[in-house]
């Protein structure tokens, strides 16, 4: 669970910001998979391009770039947890 999800479930935490970076952003799936500099570096290392569109648009773009059967299972899991 991300800190953002825990906040929506009314779990009190000292901070909901991402502990992986110093950007003062709430830890969310979008942040961890698309916005976090480490994630962006990983996508770049895999030769996958990430833009600045809506998260679902970006995931669809990744799906098109990767073209592997299990990708839809990942998307469905991410969508169900938000």
């Amino acid at each position: 669970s991300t800190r953002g999800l825990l906040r929506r479930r009314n779990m009190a935490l000292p901070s909901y910001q991402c502990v992986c970076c110093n950007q003062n952003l709430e830890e969310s799936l979008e942040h961890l998979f698309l916005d976090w500099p480490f994630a962006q570096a990983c996508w770049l290392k895999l030769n996958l391009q990430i833009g600045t569109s809506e998260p679902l648009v970006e995931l669809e773009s990744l799906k098109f770039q990767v073209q592997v059967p299990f990708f839809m299972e990942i998307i469905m899991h991410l969508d169900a947890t938000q």
Side-chain angles (χ1 to χ4, degrees), residues 32-54:
L32 291 176
F33 285 97
L34 300 175
D35 299 332
W36 184 32
F38 177 76
Q40 292 177 348
C42 291
W43 295 125
L44 184 62
K45 188 76 169 174
L46 295 170
N47 293 321
L48 299 173
Q49 302 299 315
I50 298 292
T52 57
S53 299
E54 293 293 318

Side-chain angles (χ1 to χ4, degrees), residues 4-80:
L5 180 63
L6 294 174
R7 178 197 300 254
R8 288 192 303 276
R9 292 186 177 169
N10 298 317
M11 179 175 275
L13 296 175
S15 171
Y16 297 96
Q17 295 177 346
C18 179
V19 296
C20 298
C21 68
N22 296 322
Q23 295 182 334
N24 294 322
L25 297 173
E26 183 175 276
E27 182 185 277
S28 66
L29 288 175
E30 177 184 349
H31 174 67
L32 291 176
F33 285 97
L34 300 175
D35 299 332
W36 184 32
F38 177 76
Q40 292 177 348
C42 291
W43 295 125
L44 184 62
K45 188 76 169 174
L46 295 170
N47 293 321
L48 299 173
Q49 302 299 315
I50 298 292
T52 57
S53 299
E54 293 293 318
L56 292 178
V57 172
E58 291 306 322
L59 293 174
E60 186 68 29
S61 172
L62 286 173
K63 175 185 171 188
F64 178 76
Q65 293 176 64
V66 173
Q67 294 192 6
V68 293
F70 72 89
F71 193 85
M72 197 53 168
E73 293 175 11
I74 295 169
I75 299 303
M76 290 169 48
H77 176 71
L78 289 176
D79 191 41

